[in-house]
Structure formats: C-alpha cells, structure tokens
Amino acid sequence: AVGLLIAIAGVLAWGTLYEVRFGTAAVQQTVYRAWWFQAMLGFLAVNLAIAALQRYPWKRQHLPFVLAHIGIILILLGGIIGGRWGIE
C-alpha cells in the first residue's frame, strides 16, 4: 500500500507539472481521466476497505478508524465517478 501511495503521489506531481505546461484540459485527458489513474484510485479504495474489514468485528474504539476509512473511500469513489462521467 505504501508503494501505491508513492506512485499516486508521483503521478499527481507529474500531473501538476504537466498542467502548468499544457493546460487543464490536456492533463485531465492524459492523466486524471485515464483508465490507469482511475484504476490506481480504485485499487487504493479496495486496500482501504480491506484494512477496515480486517478489524471486523469492530469495537467502539475502532469507530474513528472505520469512519475515516469509509470517508476516504467515498472521496476516492467520487473522484473516480467524476473522472469518468463528470461534466466540467
């Protein structure tokens, strides 16, 4: 999972530099709406879900952990849905 986070951070850094040079429309088409970037976000969401499910059955002390993971998963799914079917 750490390697995945480093890879996503690298792609985001590259996307930022790409956007400065070629513009927002170009980086959206080349990076953020690309199938491989969407797959990376999906894989991260799956990893977070597995991490949360490994602590099942949850105890009261796990509630912040589980809620944080659910929140991040929802943000990632929103990014995937927006990247695929969103309208600018």
Side-chain angles (χ1 to χ4, degrees), residues 41-71:
L41 295 180
F43 189 59
L44 180 58
V46 169
N47 276 307
L48 288 167
I50 290 170
L53 289 172
Q54 283 179 337
R55 295 204 181 191
Y56 188 82
W58 299 305
K59 299 176 183 163
R60 183 176 174 92
Q61 67 202 35
H62 293 140
L63 187 61
F65 171 84
V66 172
L67 289 177
H69 280 72
I70 290 172

Side-chain angles (χ1 to χ4, degrees), residues 1-53:
V2 174
L4 178 62
L5 290 175
I6 292 171
I8 291 173
V11 170
L12 292 174
W14 172 65
T16 300
L17 297 173
Y18 193 89
E19 183 175 11
V20 168
R21 182 163 182 170
F22 298 106
T24 302
V27 77
Q28 284 180 345
Q29 181 178 352
T30 306
V31 179
Y32 302 130
R33 292 188 177 165
W35 69 268
W36 52 268
F37 185 72
Q38 301 291 315
M40 288 174 79
L41 295 180
F43 189 59
L44 180 58
V46 169
N47 276 307
L48 288 167
I50 290 170
L53 289 172

